[in-house]
Amino acid sequence: MKTQSQDFAELKVDGKVIRLPIVVGTEGERALDITGLRRQSGLVTLDPGFANTASCTSQITYVDGEHGILRYRGIPIEELVKKAMFVDVAYLLVHGQLPNASERRSFSEQLNLSSLLHEDMRHFFDHMPQGAHPMHILSTMINAMTAFYPNVDIKSMADNIDESCARAISIVRTMAAFAYKKSIGEPVVYPRHDLSYCANFLNMMFDSPVKPYRIEPEAVRMLNLLFIIHADHEQNCSTSTVRVVGSAQVNLYATISAGISALSGPLHGGANQAVMEMLRTIQADGDVMKFIRMAKDKDNPFRLMGFGHRVYKTYDPRAEIVRRECDAFLSKLHYRDPLLDVAREVEAAALKDEYFIERHLYPNVDFYTGIIYRAMGIPENMFTVMFALARLPGWVAHWREMIGDDTKLVRPRQIYTGCPLCGMDTDLSVNRTLVI
Ligand code: SDX
């Protein structure tokens, strides 16, 4: 979407003054539009990790990192977690407004009809190695959807976005539960038409022919809340990956597969699993301050997982919501987790330490979520899968927005710092014996 500019910045290069438009976003964010920079000056910009670069304009999500604000299509997440279900928020992100009653019915029906995995795909699980990480299984299976489902050209998918979105969100949920059942050697549990999105997932995860699962309403409420707060987060690493891959006119499933791979990294979505490993290590050692010191030590690769954020320079509003829910949820489930006490001790120690204060390092969305997943009985190697399931509507929304815009193929420049022009120091043509 094009933005209008009334204001300009002037850049003096080699004695020449260049005027670059300043564009302003809905919430007053300002950006230097450098689309004309190279043509006017021969210069490009250098910004490793794009920490200072807006890759696109978007109408989906607004994050204010200084004030800890997160809104989906203008609605604060604090309101959505109180009044909406995850399915409503998925519709909101993709369509731009919450569904009315008939839109909700039709979307739910599509989610239900799309929840079955192609039976030939189910057999993929039989050939996955026992120890395969569920994120890698998920990324593989989603890519395979391109072969199993028709009309995956991007125009058909964009024109039938509800069907594409429902299939991506619903089948992936089934795949995730099947991957878990495969990992514990139990028979898969099929989705049911009479259960809500989150209740269906918990049932597919924990029901068994010999031990029926009693669906706990409080767990369903909490899963809706966790999925809502993870549903989108503007141009994070995995969403940017979806936009980069999608910009080459790649179908939705293949771009989501790339997004899942990006999300699996420990610096991104994999952090929720890394937090639990860290809390257990600290619990076993008993000395919280030792790990605070390690996190501050430049010569030590240890980082406080679940702390810090590229955008939030204050408490992540999602972490705030989860932190508040932790105690109440665990007590409703009559569940006590000593790692929660460790987490609170780590947070208290870090938040009063100059190193963390100076760098604006606060708990992010991953710091407390693992405690809640553990209380639900979700195994740790499935924590990042939970993040991926929740992020699917965000990825679909960004893919759709990008395909809809006059998106250019993403192809950044670079600054070459390798060796200057040189000859070959060995003439391979002379001593090349015929090598079969
Ligand atoms: C997610 O972008 C998103 O929106 C992502 C996400 C989403 O919803 O999609 O919010 C989800 O990915 C949350 C982040 C999960 N990752 C972690 O919890 C891993 C631990 N955190 C860090 O690795 C780090 O904070 C990042 C990667 C999240 C952000 O790092 P940046 O923005 O690249 O900042 P940086 O690495 O340049 O750090 C700035 C300073 C450095 O110190 P100095 O060189 O200035 O002395 O802060 C320090 C860093 O060493 N620092 C940390 C730290 N995070 C940053 N020091 C100790 N522990 C940490 N966790």
Side-chain angles (χ1 to χ4, degrees):
M1 185 192 111
K2 284 278 167 260
T3 48
Q4 299 308 318
S5 59
Q6 311 299 328
D7 204 358
F8 291 84
E10 292 192 345
L11 188 61
K12 195 167 185 181
V13 181
D14 305 333
K16 181 185 166 194
V17 174
I18 293 158
R19 276 163 54 88
L20 294 168
I22 291 178
V23 297
V24 184
T26 312
E27 296 296 332
E29 326 95 284
R30 298 183 349 138
L32 201 54
D33 178 345
I34 56 168
T35 43
L37 178 66
R38 190 165 188 274
R39 175 172 32 79
Q40 294 183 63
S41 69
L43 291 176
V44 294
T45 56
L46 178 60
D47 184 19
F50 304 134
N52 305 284
T53 298
S55 60
C56 62
T57 59
S58 177
Q59 301 180 359
I60 299 168
T61 291
Y62 173 64
V63 176
D64 177 334
E66 276 65 37
H67 301 98
I69 292 172
L70 173 55
R71 299 185 200 132
Y72 298 155
R73 300 287 187 176
I75 304 176
I77 55 161
E78 291 80 3
E79 217 175 315
L80 290 167
V81 296
K82 285 187 196 127
K83 299 176 186 169
M85 305 288 275
F86 173 62
V87 172
D88 303 312
V89 171
Y91 190 96
L92 168 71
L93 287 167
V94 173
H95 288 279
Q97 78 278 342
L98 287 163
N100 60 32
S102 72
E103 289 160 340
R104 179 62 151 77
R105 257 192 317 278
S106 141
F107 191 49
S108 292
E109 189 49 22
Q110 278 184 317
L111 286 167
N112 171 50
L113 294 174
S114 308
S115 57
L116 276 179
L117 186 64
H118 193 296
E119 276 297 301
D120 291 349
M121 287 191 81
R122 193 169 63 74
H123 298 306
F124 275 38
F125 290 100
D126 302 338
H127 307 291
M128 290 284 176
Q130 189 68 21
H133 195 287
M135 281 295 275
H136 303 143
I137 294 177
L138 221 49
S139 178
T140 307
M141 296 289 285
I142 290 171
N143 226 351
M145 281 174 70
T146 307
F148 278 86
Y149 292 96
N151 308 325
V152 288
D153 65 281
I154 62 162
K155 185 174 178 338
S156 312
M157 292 192 100
D159 291 348
N160 301 290
I161 193 64
D162 271 348
E163 182 192 54
S164 316
C165 171
R167 196 172 278 153
I169 294 178
S170 198
I171 286 185
V172 179
R173 172 195 52 177
T174 304
M175 280 177 188
F178 281 18
Y180 169 61
K181 285 296 194 186
K182 156 79 187 167
S183 71
I184 59 173
E186 279 191 13
V188 297
V189 173
Y190 280 80
R192 282 172 38 183
H193 64 83
D194 60 330
L195 293 179
S196 70
Y197 185 88
C198 290
N200 232 328
F201 175 71
L202 292 171
N203 192 60
M204 286 193 274
M205 285 283 289
F206 301 121
D207 194 30
S208 140
V210 296
K211 191 180 173 215
Y213 170 65
R214 188 177 68 80
I215 295 170
E216 170 62 59
E218 182 55 19
V220 174
R221 181 193 73 82
M222 181 52 73
L223 193 55
N224 265 292
L225 179 144
L226 290 175
F227 277 2
I228 288 172
I229 65 170
H230 283 88
D232 192 49
H233 212 243
E234 55 144 88
Q235 304 309 318
N236 59 83
C237 178
S238 50
T239 302
S240 294
T241 302
V242 165
R243 280 184 171 258
V244 169
V245 172
S247 75
Q249 306 272 311
V250 172
N251 75 70
L252 178 60
Y253 304 141
T255 55
I256 287 177
S257 173
I260 286 188
S261 298
L263 189 69
S264 67
L267 288 190
H268 188 16
N272 56 15
Q273 184 176 347
V275 166
M276 300 308 280
E277 289 153 10
M278 175 187 77
L279 293 177
R280 238 193 329 279
T281 304
I282 296 175
Q283 182 193 36
D285 184 280
D287 180 356
V288 168
M289 292 316 294
K290 175 178 142 188
F291 290 86
I292 297 290
R293 286 191 298 275
M294 278 163 59
K296 292 158 58 176
D297 177 359
K298 289 297 158 219
D299 298 325
N300 191 319
F302 175 78
R303 281 199 156 181
L304 219 45
M305 300 315 276
F307 252 75
H309 197 278
R310 175 62 58 79
V311 175
Y312 289 121
K313 300 309 168 194
T314 182
Y315 218 103
D316 182 331
R318 303 165 298 177
E320 187 62 52
I321 291 170
V322 179
R323 182 180 184 283
R324 222 180 20 247
E325 290 278 349
C326 257
D327 284 323
F329 179 67
L330 267 58
S331 58
K332 278 179 192 159
L333 263 60
H334 311 297
Y335 181 90
R336 181 128 174 64
D337 190 344
L339 290 186
L340 179 54
D341 302 333
V342 177
R344 292 213 192 289
E345 222 184 310
V346 168
E347 177 188 359
L351 293 189
K352 60 184 174 212
D353 183 292
E354 263 319 297
Y355 171 93
F356 291 87
I357 295 168
E358 266 168 29
R359 292 167 179 78
H360 307 288
L361 302 176
Y362 291 85
N364 61 48
V365 68
D366 293 310
F367 192 63
Y368 284 106
T369 40
I371 302 274
I372 292 198
Y373 288 139
R374 216 157 91 111
M376 282 183 188
I378 308 276
E380 282 180 26
N381 71 347
M382 285 286 289
F383 284 8
T384 310
V385 169
M386 303 301 283
F387 195 147
L389 291 182
R391 188 52 56 89
L392 282 164
W395 289 332
V396 173
H398 282 275
W399 178 85
R400 182 188 196 198
E401 183 177 70
M402 178 206 53
I403 293 289
D405 282 351
D406 51 357
T407 294
K408 290 170 74 74
L409 175 70
V410 175
R411 199 277 185 221
R413 295 282 180 153
Q414 65 161 25
I415 297 299
Y416 176 69
T417 54
C419 62
L421 175 64
C422 56
M424 288 178 67
D425 49 11
T426 44
D427 181 352
L428 296 177
S429 60
V430 295
N431 61 7
R432 176 177 289 146
T433 50
L434 190 60
V435 178
I436 304 290

